[in-house]
Amino acid sequence: MRHIISMLMENEAGALSRVAGLFSARGYNIESLTVAPTEDESLSRMTIVTTGSNQIVEQITKQLNKLVDVVKLADITEGKHIERELMLIKLNVVSPEVRDEVKRLIDIFRGRIIDVSETTYILELTGTGEKLNAFIDAVDNKIILETVRSGVSGIARGDKSLGLTV
Amino acid sequence: MELNGADIVVQSLKDEGVEYVFGYPGGAVLHIYDALFKQDAVRHILVRHEQGATHAADGYARATGKAGVCLVTSGPGATNAVTGIATAHLDSIPMVVITGQVQTAYIGSDAFQEVDSVGITRPCVKHNFLVKDVNDIASTLKKAFYIATTGRPGPVVVDIPKDVTDPNIKVHYEYPSSVDMRSYSPTTKGNNRQIKKALELISSARRPMIYSGGGVILSGAHKELTEFTQKLGYPITNTLMGLGGYPGTDELFVGMLGMHGTYEANMAMHDCDVLIAIGARFDDRVTGDVKHFCPEAKIIHIDIDPSSISKNVRVDIPIVGDIKHVLTEMNNELGSYSNADNNDLANWWNQINLWRSKDCLGYDRKSELIKPQYVIETLYNVTNGEAFVTSDVGQHQMWAAQFYKFKSPYHWINSGGLGTMGFGLPAAIGAQLAHPKAEVACVTGEASIQMCIQELGTAMQYMLPLKVVTLNNRYMGMVRQWQEFFYESRYSHSYMEALPDFVKLAESYGHVGMRIEKPADVEGALKEAFAMKERLVFMDFITDKTENVYPMIAAGKAHNEMHMSSDRELA
């Protein structure tokens, strides 16, 4: 089963490698991992997407909780949640037909063109991983020059929040 | 008070109440060594190799329950310490290891004696720190001791670049009196509802079994465990790490369990209907095949580390908390629960005593060769069962665990988790410094002892009257045993050729050496050695090289699939 684990960590050097090291040392899967500082600059927020049986995911959350740098942790897939991923994709768009086709597609997917050159577009798209995959599938594979994906960011819906006070 | 970084390190150790620092100087820690030189509150013990420093600090910690402290230099100093750090980590031993680091400006430049100590030690510490500012030394050391000694204990590394201890930069010093970390607050008190559920199950058990481990000793809960067990009258087994947590001489004690545990302990584990696991972690050397582990039992597990719960074996009633707290609460409530049927318990004990009557630890007492078991039994008798016993790793370790009946905690000091050969001698140094008047024996083999034998020099320098009991069978005995059983006796590289003359070797360090070759001389030699209160005595017992450790459960087998010695096979 796929799980999204959301964590608040001390914003300290080495915190990321403690998490990455834990996953490799214990043979856990990481599908994606994102980390960035929060509004409180002493904290960073990490989102890990992992897969495993319930028993393994239980161990993963316990082992992560045991890391001294981890302040708070939640498996947000346990409740209602929203997940988003950002993708930047560079396409080779030489002919007017291809440009038109790409513009139509990006409209449908509610993305934006954020850079234009004589031969290329860079598009920006957000959504669930599935939506981004669907876009890639819809575009002619031959014109894709590069894709960059941020990995999943997730947040629980409603009153639930992963904060210091709550 | 204004102090420089080096003085702050030493003053912090003093304010933390540290008696001994085990270490070895080098470039990156010279400022700290200079600070050590100027005071005498914190005593420095100079080892011969950094691995020795970590094991000695570890031995000190295990013999006292306090944190052991090491000081080593950057680069090779730190890498040499890694084995000892990992040893402490696997057995959850509180330790603070200060490693020197190259100057902050040189970090990452492949400078002389630079390694990424924080990176290298990360997987084998409870936590580690790199201190980049002299103002952070005291608070970081305070945190290090706090983390090392609370919750599930473990080693903490504090890496300090040389410029941070610069003697010319002085800052305000105050050692923090307490620590508050929002990201670290171990649970100590057990959940009341879980405790009630556990007590109900415990009181309804028909074939109960208590299985306790090193956590009991780390928690200082041996008295509570003894009370708990004796109030219930239930059988108890200890893991290798848990020996001494319950008196090994008591009738309720059925011996150690696991791969080389007793027949009665393992059979009782297999047949029990309620298992009470206390501060034990269901290690593979204990469980054997987890699919056939305690097949009929409901399992209660008390442990301070939530990640230990249901890691290897699913448990029915977990209780997360400090064992001392939890057992105290359970003991207070036990009175209101009475065992439903004493008949069941009596029948259970009849069964256990039947298993016990097989005398699974029996060995040939008429042999003309020295049997290693006999040496340990005699050691036990000569020291009245009160010595601190350290060991290395292998057959001698198992015989020490089987035949030395530890009466109290902190007395059995061995590398159970990592299985580090070379641990015994330096660990004995730590234990002897912690208990200068006590008898300290290092039970070892001729192979293990050579892995840290240089520490004989340390023992001489500080006049530590250890007794080294070497069971010399001219083989890496446990390797030889596995090769005999599982590799059709192809003894690939397990024979110890070119052994030194240990008597002369000990003498060359200034110690007393003895070689004992006949069973009739064993007792006399041990008595003579222990009578030499001021001297280290190195006893080289030439033992039967074909002797194997029995009983044995082969790796991955169930508790009821034990092997006894070839002439004493059990059904």
Side-chain angles (χ1 to χ4, degrees):
Chain A
M1 253 264 288
R2 178 172 175 272
H3 289 256
I4 302 174
I5 296 166
S6 214
M7 289 194 285
L8 281 177
M9 307 184 65
E10 296 290 353
N11 193 4
E12 304 245 356
L16 172 62
S17 52
R18 285 182 212 283
V19 173
L22 171 70
F23 274 75
S24 65
R26 295 191 182 266
Y28 303 143
N29 298 316
I30 300 186
E31 239 174 52
S32 78
L33 185 158
T34 67
V35 59
T38 65
E39 75 286 357
D40 174 347
E41 63 183 26
S42 69
L43 289 172
S44 53
R45 171 93 172 222
M46 187 181 282
T47 311
I48 299 175
V49 180
T50 183
T51 52
S53 65
N54 286 342
Q55 197 186 339
I56 287 173
V57 174
E58 182 186 323
Q59 262 302 306
I60 291 175
T61 55
K62 283 174 173 175
Q63 293 291 348
L64 286 169
N65 251 323
K66 204 163 127 179
L67 293 177
V68 169
D69 285 336
V70 172
V71 181
K72 249 188 165 180
L73 178 151
D75 179 350
I76 61 169
T77 28
E78 279 175 357
K80 287 186 178 157
H81 65 281
I82 293 170
E83 58 173 288
R84 286 290 180 272
E85 196 175 345
L86 168 72
M87 175 166 71
L88 303 178
I89 181 163
K90 189 183 282 184
L91 302 178
N92 188 14
V93 284
V94 205
S95 68
E97 295 79 27
V98 173
R99 288 174 191 243
D100 288 347
E101 172 61 15
V102 166
K103 273 194 255 175
R104 262 198 305 280
L105 262 182
I106 200 76
D107 263 358
I108 296 169
F109 280 85
R110 294 175 198 280
R112 293 193 302 151
I113 299 172
I114 56 172
D115 183 69
V116 178
S117 77
E118 272 176 40
T119 54
T120 63
Y121 278 171
I122 297 175
L123 315 179
E124 174 194 303
L125 229 85
T126 56
T128 61
E130 271 174 33
K131 176 181 159 185
L132 303 188
N133 289 341
F135 181 79
I136 290 172
D137 289 343
V139 175
D140 179 3
N141 208 20
K142 287 196 286 287
I143 68 165
I144 299 177
L145 295 172
E146 264 185 81
T147 59
V148 188
R149 293 170 70 152
S150 64
V152 171
S153 292
I155 195 162
R157 280 181 182 274
D159 292 339
K160 263 195 200 166
S161 62
L162 195 69
L164 278 187
T165 46
V166 192
Chain B
M1 181 166 37
E2 297 271 309
L3 292 177
N4 68 45
D7 287 328
I8 289 176
V9 171
V10 176
Q11 188 64 38
S12 298
L13 296 179
K14 187 184 159 196
D15 288 346
E16 187 62 43
V18 172
E19 283 180 283
Y20 292 107
V21 175
F22 300 87
Y24 203 102
V29 285
L30 280 177
H31 298 326
I32 303 174
Y33 269 84
D34 197 44
L36 277 171
F37 188 80
K38 293 183 288 194
Q39 54 85 52
D40 51 15
V42 179
R43 225 183 129 196
H44 180 267
I45 302 298
L46 177 68
V47 295
R48 299 298 179 264
H49 184 290
E50 288 88 350
Q51 184 184 348
T54 49
H55 292 330
D58 181 325
Y60 174 89
R62 294 184 205 231
T64 57
K66 292 191 273 187
V69 182
C70 297
L71 173 60
V72 299
T73 194
S74 64
T79 54
N80 280 345
V82 168
T83 299
I85 295 169
T87 303
H89 184 56
L90 269 254
D91 289 340
S92 307
I93 303 303
M95 200 154 93
V96 172
V97 181
I98 300 169
T99 54
Q101 184 53 276
V102 299
Q103 294 183 41
T104 321
Y106 290 168
I107 288 181
S109 71
D110 301 323
F112 178 64
Q113 294 196 325
E114 180 188 0
V115 293
D116 174 9
S117 302
V118 167
I120 285 177
T121 58
R122 188 177 299 124
C124 59
V125 293
K126 184 169 173 187
H127 197 58
N128 58 18
F129 296 95
L130 172 64
V131 185
K132 284 187 160 171
D133 185 333
V134 59
N135 290 294
D136 295 338
I137 295 177
S139 62
T140 306
L141 283 170
K142 182 71 194 178
K143 277 185 196 166
F145 279 98
Y146 174 65
I147 292 170
T149 53
T150 53
R152 179 177 181 171
V156 177
V157 166
V158 181
D159 198 27
I160 310 181
K162 189 170 184 182
D163 53 312
V164 175
T165 56
D166 187 335
N168 299 314
I169 301 171
K170 293 190 175 180
V171 298
H172 175 71
Y173 168 80
E174 196 184 335
Y175 197 63
S177 56
S178 64
V179 185
D180 182 29
M181 293 175 72
R182 61 183 175 184
S183 62
Y184 176 78
S185 55
T187 311
T188 52
K189 201 178 165 302
N191 179 299
N192 275 331
R193 275 172 49 205
Q194 291 293 92
I195 290 177
K196 280 211 165 62
K197 267 162 70 180
L199 285 167
E200 273 160 27
L201 182 60
I202 288 167
S203 60
S204 69
R206 303 177 60 209
R207 299 184 310 279
M209 184 71 179
I210 302 170
Y211 145 56
S212 83
V216 170
I217 291 163
L218 294 166
S219 166
H222 46 281
K223 287 204 184 90
E224 289 75 11
L225 176 68
T226 306
E227 185 188 338
F228 177 76
T229 307
Q230 292 182 348
K231 269 185 176 168
L232 288 163
Y234 288 179
I236 178 167
T237 180
N238 286 167
T239 67
L240 178 66
M241 292 308 299
L243 293 172
Y246 187 84
T249 42
D250 191 79
E251 195 57 22
L252 301 178
F253 184 64
V254 296
M256 181 174 77
L257 83 165
M259 184 172 272
H260 294 296
T262 65
Y263 184 63
E264 50 271 32
N266 285 331
M267 289 303 281
M269 287 292 286
H270 189 267
D271 283 10
C272 71
D273 72 339
V274 172
L275 180 70
I276 309 157
I278 308 176
R281 63 186 177 92
F282 299 82
D283 172 77
D284 59 279
R285 286 296 192 263
V286 158
T287 60
D289 180 5
V290 287
K291 282 196 215 80
H292 298 109
F293 177 78
C294 300
E296 291 166 39
K298 290 254 186 231
I299 304 177
I300 297 161
H301 187 191
I302 310 171
D303 205 293
I304 197 157
D305 177 7
S307 75
S308 262
I309 308 268
S310 295
K311 183 175 71 177
N312 300 334
V313 171
R314 279 249 40 104
V315 301
D316 300 282
I317 306 180
I319 302 172
V320 175
D322 184 346
I323 293 161
K324 200 179 169 90
H325 280 74
V326 174
L327 283 184
T328 302
E329 251 173 78
M330 286 179 127
N331 286 338
N332 290 341
E333 309 239 335
L334 264 183
S336 41
Y337 297 81
S338 63
N339 199 313
D341 192 346
N342 278 322
N343 243 348
D344 284 334
L345 188 60
N347 288 339
W348 179 227
W349 270 114
N350 285 340
Q351 174 62 65
I352 290 171
N353 286 329
L354 210 64
W355 288 324
R356 205 179 237 171
S357 67
K358 306 247 181 189
D359 185 24
C360 68
L361 297 178
Y363 64 91
D364 178 9
R365 288 167 192 279
K366 297 197 182 94
S367 170
E368 292 188 355
L369 299 169
I370 297 178
K371 288 288 182 183
Q373 299 95 324
Y374 174 63
V375 178
I376 307 293
E377 259 183 0
T378 313
L379 172 69
Y380 172 76
N381 291 330
V382 167
T383 56
N384 200 22
E386 283 163 5
F388 287 84
V389 178
T390 71
S391 92
D392 276 301
V393 171
Q395 287 184 321
H396 65 269
Q397 177 190 25
M398 292 300 113
W399 285 316
Q402 290 175 332
F403 288 89
Y404 202 101
K405 301 181 200 72
F406 293 94
K407 295 178 194 167
S408 45
Y410 310 119
H411 281 64
W412 167 235
I413 295 169
N414 85 125
S415 168
L418 195 66
T420 310
M421 290 169 73
F423 175 80
L425 178 60
I429 288 172
Q432 186 78 76
L433 283 162
H435 303 285
K437 298 263 183 270
E439 291 179 333
V440 178
C442 166
V443 174
T444 181
E446 84 292 338
S448 277
I449 189 70
Q450 292 188 78
M451 281 212 188
C452 271
I453 200 155
Q454 74 284 350
E455 301 307 331
L456 284 174
T458 309
M460 187 35 133
Q461 181 171 345
Y462 299 98
M463 301 300 287
L464 302 174
L466 313 173
K467 305 296 178 268
V468 180
V469 178
T470 308
L471 303 178
N472 182 347
N473 61 356
R474 282 80 71 210
Y475 276 101
M476 294 159 213
M478 193 58 92
V479 173
R480 195 204 59 82
Q481 178 168 343
W482 281 55
Q483 288 172 334
E484 181 186 330
F485 291 176
F486 308 119
Y487 298 88
E488 296 171 322
S489 299
R490 289 186 298 278
Y491 298 125
S492 180
H493 301 274
S494 55
Y495 187 67
M496 269 284 140
E497 294 200 44
L499 279 176
D501 178 332
F502 286 115
V503 173
K504 281 190 188 157
L505 182 70
E507 286 171 355
S508 75
Y509 274 104
H511 299 308
V512 179
M514 291 181 181
R515 180 171 300 110
I516 305 97
E517 294 174 279
K518 289 200 287 282
D521 297 336
V522 169
E523 188 177 359
L526 281 164
K527 280 186 171 161
E528 192 188 336
F530 278 97
M532 286 186 252
K533 301 276 182 212
E534 312 290 319
R535 305 297 303 273
L536 184 150
V537 183
F538 193 115
M539 285 161 274
D540 184 17
F541 290 95
I542 308 301
T543 61
D544 181 353
K545 63 184 174 196
T546 63
E547 190 60 44
N548 288 325
V549 180
Y550 292 109
M552 178 169 182
I553 305 174
K557 295 285 184 181
H559 276 154
N560 59 351
E561 296 177 279
M562 297 205 84
H563 290 284
M564 307 296 281
S565 58
S566 47
D567 50 327
R568 299 163 27 83
E569 206 57 47
L570 282 176

